[in-house]
Amino acid sequence: MKIDILTLFPQMFEAPFSFGIFKRAIDNGGVSLNIHNIRDYTHDKHHIVDDSPYGGGAGMVLKPGPIFEAVEAIKAGIGDEPLDVILLTPQGRLLNQQVAQELSQKKHLAFICGHYEGEDERVREHLATDEISIGDYVLTGGELPAMVVIDALLRLIPGVLGSDESALDDSHASGLLEYPQYTRPEDFRGMTVPEVLLSGDHARIARWRREQIIRRTLERRPELLNKANLGLEDKKLVERLISAQSQVNKDRES
Ligand code: JFE
């Protein structure tokens, strides 16, 4: 996979790509990375990338020219190979595991990281092929969102994660929350590990974990249960937990 990043702050990407998963993706995952400074695609003496908004109002807007030229420079080097141009914006479709999975299958991604009050609308309308938000809050620019999207998709590329940290059985792959994890010591300041995990009974452990997944998801993110495809045993457990809870509510009311 090829990844190009367009930004006014290339240094922001130095740390993530020097360590951990991003570094491993490049070293072992066959990912090639290019970071472009949008300012390098200006032609004026002062390398101006922003201007005031037509119609008035506070703040500055990124000019379309340098961003279009940066993307065109990438396109000039790849002939008719496909390129997805992703604009990070609070108005994009929300990132989730399915979106990360979809992006991890692409051959070539370019991320446009805006700043200030955002970019000229023509970038969104005529240059971007996809718009992504990482959540309903406003950040100061697209760099952190780009890093979040890239982190989420890189770990789904074979060879990026080690075999002991497979992305297959993590919570959001199944659409449900995780079961609780424990490691040594067995007794930490009087806080103990559930007995079942020390039992060596693998069937019992698997049942307990599955129950924890269902309980947690029902308690914290019930909407996820509707989307997940549950087995018969899972469904029965959900019914039991819901009727136990409505009994608690009745007891409280009486
Ligand atoms: C940019 C900004 C004023 C945006 C309404 C470029 N999920 C997510 N949160 N924030 C962003 C993405 C994001 C991405 C790119 C960005 C925020 N800003 C700041 C300022 C209004 C804005 O859009 C500029």
Side-chain angles (χ1 to χ4, degrees), residues 88-91 112-119 132-143 145:
L88 289 314
T89 162
Q91 303 168 64
I112 300 175
C113 307
H115 237 86
Y116 315 117
E117 307 303 307
E119 47 293 307
I132 293 181
S133 165
I134 63 161
D136 293 334
Y137 37 82
V138 181
L139 301 170
T140 55
E143 285 78 12

Side-chain angles (χ1 to χ4, degrees), residues 98-114:
Q98 192 191 317
V99 170
Q101 176 63 43
E102 183 193 312
L103 295 177
S104 74
Q105 312 287 315
K106 303 285 188 181
K107 279 292 213 299
H108 193 171
L109 301 172
F111 291 89
I112 300 175
C113 307

Side-chain angles (χ1 to χ4, degrees), residues 45-46 88 194 203 214 217:
K45 189 169 116 196
H46 296 107
L88 289 314
I214 302 290
T217 308

Side-chain angles (χ1 to χ4, degrees), residues 12 26 30 48 53 82 86 96 106 111 114 124 129 149 153-154 174 185 198 206 211 226 241 245:
M12 283 184 74
I26 292 159
I48 290 171
I86 300 173
N96 60 27
K106 303 285 188 181
F111 291 89
R124 188 195 65 74
T129 61
V149 173
L153 71 88
L154 285 183
S174 67
L198 312 171
E211 179 172 331
N226 304 326
L241 292 172
Q245 190 53 49

